[in-house]
PDB file of all heavy atoms in Angstrom:
ATOM      1  N   MET A   1      29.296  -2.994  18.491  1.00 39.00           N
ATOM      2  CA  MET A   1      28.416  -2.994  17.251  1.00 39.00           C
ATOM      3  C   MET A   1      27.081  -2.397  17.587  1.00 39.00           C
ATOM      4  O   MET A   1      26.151  -2.538  16.839  1.00 39.00           O
ATOM      5  CB  MET A   1      28.221  -4.457  16.810  1.00 39.00           C
ATOM      6  CG  MET A   1      28.918  -4.589  15.491  1.00 39.00           C
ATOM      7  SD  MET A   1      28.553  -6.012  14.517  1.00 39.00           S
ATOM      8  CE  MET A   1      27.048  -6.703  15.083  1.00 39.00           C
ATOM      9  N   GLU A   8      25.687   8.093  11.193  1.00 42.00           N
ATOM     10  CA  GLU A   8      25.130   8.247   9.817  1.00 42.00           C
ATOM     11  C   GLU A   8      24.419   9.574   9.786  1.00 42.00           C
ATOM     12  O   GLU A   8      23.524   9.810  10.621  1.00 42.00           O
ATOM     13  CB  GLU A   8      24.219   7.066   9.507  1.00 42.00           C
ATOM     14  CG  GLU A   8      23.865   7.195   8.017  1.00 42.00           C
ATOM     15  CD  GLU A   8      22.840   6.059   7.638  1.00 42.00           C
ATOM     16  OE1 GLU A   8      22.243   5.509   8.612  1.00 42.00           O
ATOM     17  OE2 GLU A   8      22.675   5.820   6.482  1.00 42.00           O
ATOM     18  N   ILE A  13      14.892  16.228  10.511  1.00 44.00           N
ATOM     19  CA  ILE A  13      13.472  16.345  10.248  1.00 44.00           C
ATOM     20  C   ILE A  13      12.593  15.836  11.388  1.00 44.00           C
ATOM     21  O   ILE A  13      11.433  15.524  11.233  1.00 44.00           O
ATOM     22  CB  ILE A  13      13.011  15.614   8.971  1.00 44.00           C
ATOM     23  CG1 ILE A  13      13.658  14.202   9.006  1.00 44.00           C
ATOM     24  CG2 ILE A  13      13.552  16.329   7.764  1.00 44.00           C
ATOM     25  CD1 ILE A  13      13.129  13.318   7.968  1.00 44.00           C
ATOM     26  N   ARG A 191       5.881  -4.472  -8.750  1.00 88.00           N
ATOM     27  CA  ARG A 191       6.595  -5.717  -8.385  1.00 88.00           C
ATOM     28  C   ARG A 191       6.597  -5.859  -6.866  1.00 88.00           C
ATOM     29  O   ARG A 191       6.334  -6.934  -6.347  1.00 88.00           O
ATOM     30  CB  ARG A 191       7.981  -5.660  -8.948  1.00 88.00           C
ATOM     31  CG  ARG A 191       8.020  -5.904 -10.462  1.00 88.00           C
ATOM     32  CD  ARG A 191       9.412  -6.364 -10.886  1.00 88.00           C
ATOM     33  NE  ARG A 191      10.414  -5.407 -10.535  1.00 88.00           N
ATOM     34  CZ  ARG A 191      11.587  -5.328 -11.123  1.00 88.00           C
ATOM     35  NH1 ARG A 191      11.891  -6.280 -12.032  1.00 88.00           N
ATOM     36  NH2 ARG A 191      12.467  -4.462 -10.815  1.00 88.00           N
ATOM     37  N   LEU A 196       4.643  -8.578  -1.948  1.00 89.00           N
ATOM     38  CA  LEU A 196       4.204  -8.385  -0.523  1.00 89.00           C
ATOM     39  C   LEU A 196       2.846  -8.905  -0.252  1.00 89.00           C
ATOM     40  O   LEU A 196       2.311  -8.812   0.809  1.00 89.00           O
ATOM     41  CB  LEU A 196       4.304  -6.945  -0.161  1.00 89.00           C
ATOM     42  CG  LEU A 196       5.668  -6.326  -0.019  1.00 89.00           C
ATOM     43  CD1 LEU A 196       5.640  -4.828   0.105  1.00 89.00           C
ATOM     44  CD2 LEU A 196       6.369  -6.917   1.293  1.00 89.00           C
ATOM     45  N   SER A 198      -0.126  -8.462  -2.264  1.00 88.00           N
ATOM     46  CA  SER A 198      -1.328  -7.687  -2.559  1.00 88.00           C
ATOM     47  C   SER A 198      -2.282  -8.408  -3.517  1.00 88.00           C
ATOM     48  O   SER A 198      -1.838  -9.132  -4.404  1.00 88.00           O
ATOM     49  CB  SER A 198      -0.914  -6.405  -3.355  1.00 88.00           C
ATOM     50  OG  SER A 198       0.123  -5.755  -2.603  1.00 88.00           O
ATOM     51  N   ARG A 206      -3.920   1.177  -3.436  1.00 93.00           N
ATOM     52  CA  ARG A 206      -2.746   1.599  -2.641  1.00 93.00           C
ATOM     53  C   ARG A 206      -1.506   1.885  -3.478  1.00 93.00           C
ATOM     54  O   ARG A 206      -0.513   2.443  -2.967  1.00 93.00           O
ATOM     55  CB  ARG A 206      -2.334   0.504  -1.609  1.00 93.00           C
ATOM     56  CG  ARG A 206      -3.528   0.366  -0.674  1.00 93.00           C
ATOM     57  CD  ARG A 206      -3.179  -0.660   0.422  1.00 93.00           C
ATOM     58  NE  ARG A 206      -4.388  -1.066   1.056  1.00 93.00           N
ATOM     59  CZ  ARG A 206      -4.467  -1.382   2.371  1.00 93.00           C
ATOM     60  NH1 ARG A 206      -3.351  -1.225   3.142  1.00 93.00           N
ATOM     61  NH2 ARG A 206      -5.560  -1.718   2.922  1.00 93.00           N
ATOM     62  N   TRP A 287       3.805  13.718   0.705  1.00 86.00           N
ATOM     63  CA  TRP A 287       4.981  12.840   0.517  1.00 86.00           C
ATOM     64  C   TRP A 287       5.874  13.243  -0.585  1.00 86.00           C
ATOM     65  O   TRP A 287       6.982  12.749  -0.803  1.00 86.00           O
ATOM     66  CB  TRP A 287       4.477  11.422   0.283  1.00 86.00           C
ATOM     67  CG  TRP A 287       3.413  11.239  -0.785  1.00 86.00           C
ATOM     68  CD1 TRP A 287       2.082  11.372  -0.577  1.00 86.00           C
ATOM     69  CD2 TRP A 287       3.623  11.000  -2.136  1.00 86.00           C
ATOM     70  NE1 TRP A 287       1.420  11.137  -1.766  1.00 86.00           N
ATOM     71  CE2 TRP A 287       2.356  10.951  -2.771  1.00 86.00           C
ATOM     72  CE3 TRP A 287       4.735  10.805  -2.984  1.00 86.00           C
ATOM     73  CZ2 TRP A 287       2.085  10.660  -4.099  1.00 86.00           C
ATOM     74  CZ3 TRP A 287       4.550  10.536  -4.330  1.00 86.00           C
ATOM     75  CH2 TRP A 287       3.221  10.524  -4.848  1.00 86.00           C
ATOM     76  N   ARG A 290      10.136  17.391   0.327  1.00 72.00           N
ATOM     77  CA  ARG A 290      11.321  16.873   1.093  1.00 72.00           C
ATOM     78  C   ARG A 290      11.314  17.381   2.518  1.00 72.00           C
ATOM     79  O   ARG A 290      11.597  16.656   3.434  1.00 72.00           O
ATOM     80  CB  ARG A 290      12.590  17.345   0.374  1.00 72.00           C
ATOM     81  CG  ARG A 290      13.839  16.719   0.898  1.00 72.00           C
ATOM     82  CD  ARG A 290      15.010  17.077  -0.028  1.00 72.00           C
ATOM     83  NE  ARG A 290      14.964  16.273  -1.249  1.00 72.00           N
ATOM     84  CZ  ARG A 290      15.552  15.079  -1.277  1.00 72.00           C
ATOM     85  NH1 ARG A 290      16.131  14.512  -0.249  1.00 72.00           N
ATOM     86  NH2 ARG A 290      15.474  14.385  -2.405  1.00 72.00           N
TER      87      ARG A 290
ATOM     88  N   TYR B  92       8.961 -13.320 -11.547  1.00 87.00           N
ATOM     89  CA  TYR B  92       8.711 -12.163 -12.495  1.00 87.00           C
ATOM     90  C   TYR B  92       9.079 -12.654 -13.915  1.00 87.00           C
ATOM     91  O   TYR B  92       8.650 -12.038 -14.912  1.00 87.00           O
ATOM     92  CB  TYR B  92       9.517 -10.934 -12.122  1.00 87.00           C
ATOM     93  CG  TYR B  92       9.151 -10.364 -10.786  1.00 87.00           C
ATOM     94  CD1 TYR B  92      10.018 -10.336  -9.717  1.00 87.00           C
ATOM     95  CD2 TYR B  92       7.844  -9.906 -10.592  1.00 87.00           C
ATOM     96  CE1 TYR B  92       9.632  -9.865  -8.525  1.00 87.00           C
ATOM     97  CE2 TYR B  92       7.436  -9.430  -9.354  1.00 87.00           C
ATOM     98  CZ  TYR B  92       8.375  -9.365  -8.322  1.00 87.00           C
ATOM     99  OH  TYR B  92       8.043  -8.897  -7.122  1.00 87.00           O
ATOM    100  N   PRO B 125       6.569   5.824  -2.191  1.00 92.00           N
ATOM    101  CA  PRO B 125       6.795   7.214  -1.741  1.00 92.00           C
ATOM    102  C   PRO B 125       5.629   7.798  -0.954  1.00 92.00           C
ATOM    103  O   PRO B 125       5.793   8.750  -0.245  1.00 92.00           O
ATOM    104  CB  PRO B 125       7.035   7.937  -2.991  1.00 92.00           C
ATOM    105  CG  PRO B 125       7.126   6.856  -4.088  1.00 92.00           C
ATOM    106  CD  PRO B 125       6.496   5.642  -3.603  1.00 92.00           C
ATOM    107  N   TRP B 126       4.402   7.252  -1.165  1.00 93.00           N
ATOM    108  CA  TRP B 126       3.215   7.887  -0.621  1.00 93.00           C
ATOM    109  C   TRP B 126       2.853   7.320   0.753  1.00 93.00           C
ATOM    110  O   TRP B 126       1.840   7.607   1.288  1.00 93.00           O
ATOM    111  CB  TRP B 126       2.080   7.758  -1.574  1.00 93.00           C
ATOM    112  CG  TRP B 126       1.890   6.369  -2.203  1.00 93.00           C
ATOM    113  CD1 TRP B 126       1.254   5.359  -1.673  1.00 93.00           C
ATOM    114  CD2 TRP B 126       2.457   5.993  -3.416  1.00 93.00           C
ATOM    115  NE1 TRP B 126       1.403   4.243  -2.515  1.00 93.00           N
ATOM    116  CE2 TRP B 126       2.137   4.598  -3.585  1.00 93.00           C
ATOM    117  CE3 TRP B 126       3.201   6.625  -4.446  1.00 93.00           C
ATOM    118  CZ2 TRP B 126       2.479   3.884  -4.705  1.00 93.00           C
ATOM    119  CZ3 TRP B 126       3.574   5.850  -5.505  1.00 93.00           C
ATOM    120  CH2 TRP B 126       3.247   4.538  -5.611  1.00 93.00           C
ATOM    121  N   TYR B 135       2.897  -2.701   5.344  1.00 92.00           N
ATOM    122  CA  TYR B 135       2.075  -2.901   4.195  1.00 92.00           C
ATOM    123  C   TYR B 135       1.776  -4.350   3.940  1.00 92.00           C
ATOM    124  O   TYR B 135       0.627  -4.756   3.780  1.00 92.00           O
ATOM    125  CB  TYR B 135       2.739  -2.353   2.940  1.00 92.00           C
ATOM    126  CG  TYR B 135       1.938  -2.562   1.698  1.00 92.00           C
ATOM    127  CD1 TYR B 135       0.957  -1.688   1.252  1.00 92.00           C
ATOM    128  CD2 TYR B 135       2.113  -3.763   0.872  1.00 92.00           C
ATOM    129  CE1 TYR B 135       0.209  -1.928   0.150  1.00 92.00           C
ATOM    130  CE2 TYR B 135       1.361  -3.917  -0.225  1.00 92.00           C
ATOM    131  CZ  TYR B 135       0.373  -3.065  -0.652  1.00 92.00           C
ATOM    132  OH  TYR B 135      -0.331  -3.292  -1.738  1.00 92.00           O
ATOM    133  N   GLN B 140      -2.214  -8.699   3.734  1.00 86.00           N
ATOM    134  CA  GLN B 140      -2.420 -10.122   3.893  1.00 86.00           C
ATOM    135  C   GLN B 140      -3.458 -10.477   4.974  1.00 86.00           C
ATOM    136  O   GLN B 140      -4.074 -11.572   4.953  1.00 86.00           O
ATOM    137  CB  GLN B 140      -1.125 -10.895   4.227  1.00 86.00           C
ATOM    138  CG  GLN B 140      -0.079 -10.819   3.150  1.00 86.00           C
ATOM    139  CD  GLN B 140       1.321 -10.983   3.630  1.00 86.00           C
ATOM    140  OE1 GLN B 140       1.576 -11.579   4.711  1.00 86.00           O
ATOM    141  NE2 GLN B 140       2.313 -10.493   2.950  1.00 86.00           N
ATOM    142  N   LYS B 167       7.994   9.461   8.823  1.00 90.00           N
ATOM    143  CA  LYS B 167       8.558  10.193   7.752  1.00 90.00           C
ATOM    144  C   LYS B 167       8.307   9.523   6.431  1.00 90.00           C
ATOM    145  O   LYS B 167       8.143   8.241   6.386  1.00 90.00           O
ATOM    146  CB  LYS B 167      10.048  10.342   7.970  1.00 90.00           C
ATOM    147  CG  LYS B 167      10.423  11.141   9.215  1.00 90.00           C
ATOM    148  CD  LYS B 167       9.962  12.489   9.145  1.00 90.00           C
ATOM    149  CE  LYS B 167       9.984  13.198  10.531  1.00 90.00           C
ATOM    150  NZ  LYS B 167       9.189  14.396  10.632  1.00 90.00           N
ATOM    151  N   GLN B 171      12.132  11.728   2.738  1.00 89.00           N
ATOM    152  CA  GLN B 171      12.803  12.451   3.822  1.00 89.00           C
ATOM    153  C   GLN B 171      13.884  11.583   4.561  1.00 89.00           C
ATOM    154  O   GLN B 171      14.433  12.029   5.540  1.00 89.00           O
ATOM    155  CB  GLN B 171      11.739  12.887   4.898  1.00 89.00           C
ATOM    156  CG  GLN B 171      10.713  13.803   4.304  1.00 89.00           C
ATOM    157  CD  GLN B 171       9.409  13.928   5.117  1.00 89.00           C
ATOM    158  OE1 GLN B 171       9.140  13.062   5.940  1.00 89.00           O
ATOM    159  NE2 GLN B 171       8.732  15.032   4.919  1.00 89.00           N
ATOM    160  N   ARG B 179      17.380   0.206   4.790  1.00 88.00           N
ATOM    161  CA  ARG B 179      17.031  -0.546   5.994  1.00 88.00           C
ATOM    162  C   ARG B 179      15.552  -0.701   6.149  1.00 88.00           C
ATOM    163  O   ARG B 179      15.048  -1.762   6.455  1.00 88.00           O
ATOM    164  CB  ARG B 179      17.553   0.271   7.223  1.00 88.00           C
ATOM    165  CG  ARG B 179      19.012  -0.080   7.539  1.00 88.00           C
ATOM    166  CD  ARG B 179      19.409   0.771   8.714  1.00 88.00           C
ATOM    167  NE  ARG B 179      20.043   2.023   8.318  1.00 88.00           N
ATOM    168  CZ  ARG B 179      20.087   3.051   9.101  1.00 88.00           C
ATOM    169  NH1 ARG B 179      19.694   3.054  10.293  1.00 88.00           N
ATOM    170  NH2 ARG B 179      20.713   4.191   8.631  1.00 88.00           N
ATOM    171  N   ARG B 216      22.549  -8.165  12.151  1.00 84.00           N
ATOM    172  CA  ARG B 216      21.664  -8.139  13.319  1.00 84.00           C
ATOM    173  C   ARG B 216      20.265  -8.591  12.951  1.00 84.00           C
ATOM    174  O   ARG B 216      19.669  -9.445  13.640  1.00 84.00           O
ATOM    175  CB  ARG B 216      21.678  -6.762  13.922  1.00 84.00           C
ATOM    176  CG  ARG B 216      22.010  -6.834  15.403  1.00 84.00           C
ATOM    177  CD  ARG B 216      21.771  -5.584  16.221  1.00 84.00           C
ATOM    178  NE  ARG B 216      21.614  -4.341  15.553  1.00 84.00           N
ATOM    179  CZ  ARG B 216      22.569  -3.471  15.319  1.00 84.00           C
ATOM    180  NH1 ARG B 216      23.833  -3.789  15.624  1.00 84.00           N
ATOM    181  NH2 ARG B 216      22.298  -2.335  14.727  1.00 84.00           N
TER     182      ARG B 216
END
Side-chain angles (χ1 to χ4, degrees):
Chain A
M1 249 195 17
E8 192 184 13
I13 48 169
R191 286 200 300 198
L196 287 168
S198 311
R206 299 181 195 217
W287 50 272
R290 189 170 282 274
Chain B
Y92 298 115
W126 45 86
Y135 178 87
Q140 292 158 25
K167 298 296 166 197
Q171 299 164 336
R179 274 179 269 160
R216 236 192 340 269

